[in-house]
Amino acid sequence: MLKKDYMERQIEAISNTFAAILFGKDKVKTILETEQEEDSAAAMEDDILERMVKKYLSEKKINEAENLIFNSINENKTLKKFEIALYFFNEVNQYNDEALLNNGYSREEINDGINHLKSFYN
């Protein structure tokens, strides 16, 4: 799925470039600026997500962190968000069963979450 999204963006960029060449340099500049802004905004969003997940984990707010991850992925799937989700599940998996229980989470929820994550990126 990520490869498909990447390929679609590449095709769109090539199409936009050809259109820009046909319609002039100003159009090329506008397209390039828009793409850079979108990439920059996505990177910033991913960075904020990563910081928030780490903060929630340090506060043992496991459910809040998981909800934040899936809400963010639901809005816009990125490779970085996938990595953040894997980091989250790896960290939570290291908790003992008692710590999970004390924080309203379980091993079953870890497995369910990983399967849910797979469904987003398949």
Side-chain angles (χ1 to χ4, degrees):
M1 188 67 165
L2 287 175
K3 286 184 180 179
K4 182 180 178 185
D5 291 342
Y6 174 77
M7 292 302 295
E8 287 175 358
R9 286 194 309 268
Q10 292 301 317
I11 291 168
E12 182 179 348
I14 291 168
S15 299
N16 288 339
T17 302
F18 283 127
I21 291 169
L22 291 173
F23 297 113
K25 292 179 184 178
D26 291 336
K27 181 70 175 169
V28 172
K29 185 177 178 182
T30 302
I31 290 169
L32 292 176
E33 287 173 354
T34 302
E35 287 177 1
Q36 287 174 349
E37 288 173 8
E38 289 173 1
D39 290 344
S40 177
M44 188 181 308
E45 181 183 319
D46 291 348
D47 184 52
I48 292 169
L49 174 64
E50 183 174 26
R51 290 171 190 245
M52 291 300 299
V53 167
K54 288 180 178 179
K55 180 181 184 301
Y56 281 147
L57 284 174
S58 72
E59 297 171 352
K60 305 289 190 243
K61 294 180 177 179
I62 300 170
N63 286 307
E64 290 87 343
E66 182 186 45
N67 291 340
L68 184 64
I69 290 167
F70 283 115
N71 288 338
S72 183
I73 290 172
N74 197 31
E75 289 178 21
N76 181 27
K77 290 184 281 190
T78 66
L79 181 58
K80 182 66 176 178
K81 288 178 185 177
F82 182 72
E83 292 170 356
I84 293 166
L86 291 177
Y87 166 81
F88 166 79
F89 287 115
N90 183 53
E91 290 294 309
V92 173
N93 193 45
Q94 293 179 27
Y95 290 24
N96 64 39
D97 291 339
E98 184 179 340
L100 288 172
L101 184 63
N102 288 339
N103 292 289
Y105 214 73
S106 68
R107 298 259 174 241
E108 185 177 317
E109 286 179 283
I110 294 171
N111 290 329
D112 290 346
I114 291 170
N115 288 328
H116 191 67
L117 181 64
K118 285 183 198 176
S119 72
F120 270 105
Y121 285 92
N122 276 336

